[in-house]
Amino acid sequence: MPRVDFPVLPDHGRVWVFPASRRLAEDEERRLLAEVDTFLDGWAAHGAPLRAGRELVEGWFLLVGVDEDASRPSGCSIDALVNRLESLGQALGLSLVDRAPVWYRAAAEIRRVNRQEFKALVTEGAVDPDTRVFDTSLTRLEALRGEGLERAARKSWHGFAFFRDAAAPGSGNAGDRA
């Protein structure tokens, strides 16, 4: 299967969000996307080519999606993708596979902090349930397109984890994203 444009992947397809540890420079964006395209052109599961696409959001978030109707990725194929991105991240001097931090928007700027720092920001009142956060735990294109990668903390797992009393009903439920 050929690599496809990300928007043509079906809503029921699988998605992985690979957040960068810092915003990529324009030349790094071009290099990352070229390397990912080359990888996706040959990406296969047990010899079956995968119909996949990619998108880079705001220089921070690499999205890789797969049409599982065409062919399902295997554990080994997913490992190959993660390993390639780890290697590429090292070459660029950043991480693309660490989902532990919290990414949030402060005014027009995207910030990355560890969870303890985000909790301190909550305590200080510097962030609140309406603070825009990025949900790197999404696994389905339907959720990405419907709920969005960026949304109010109360409408993501962040609401359950950091603003339990203000979280929207059903937010933070991993089963909603499986």
Side-chain angles (χ1 to χ4, degrees), residues 52-89:
R54 55 78 181 156
E55 188 169 286
L56 185 62
V57 177
E58 297 194 48
W60 280 92
F61 306 95
L62 174 65
L63 309 177
V64 175
V66 173
D67 178 356
E68 292 182 310
D69 288 342
S71 188
R72 289 187 174 270
S74 64
C76 292
S77 65
I78 296 167
D79 287 348
L81 172 63
V82 171
N83 290 338
R84 181 65 192 114
L85 292 176
E86 282 180 335
S87 175
L88 184 53

Side-chain angles (χ1 to χ4, degrees), residues 102 115 135-137 153 155-162 171-172 177:
V102 173
R115 292 178 189 207
D135 187 352
T136 60
S137 70
K155 295 183 178 181
S156 75
W157 68 265
H158 303 77
F160 181 76
F162 298 105
S171 65
R177 295 182 300 275

Side-chain angles (χ1 to χ4, degrees), residues 68-119:
E68 292 182 310
D69 288 342
S71 188
R72 289 187 174 270
S74 64
C76 292
S77 65
I78 296 167
D79 287 348
L81 172 63
V82 171
N83 290 338
R84 181 65 192 114
L85 292 176
E86 282 180 335
S87 175
L88 184 53
Q90 288 175 358
L92 293 171
L94 54 86
S95 172
L96 293 165
V97 296
D98 183 6
R99 291 190 184 100
V102 173
W103 286 261
Y104 70 101
R105 192 175 296 278
E109 182 182 337
I110 296 173
R111 295 189 179 161
R112 174 187 176 266
V113 295
N114 67 41
R115 292 178 189 207
Q116 295 81 5
E117 291 168 320
F118 193 78
K119 182 65 174 170

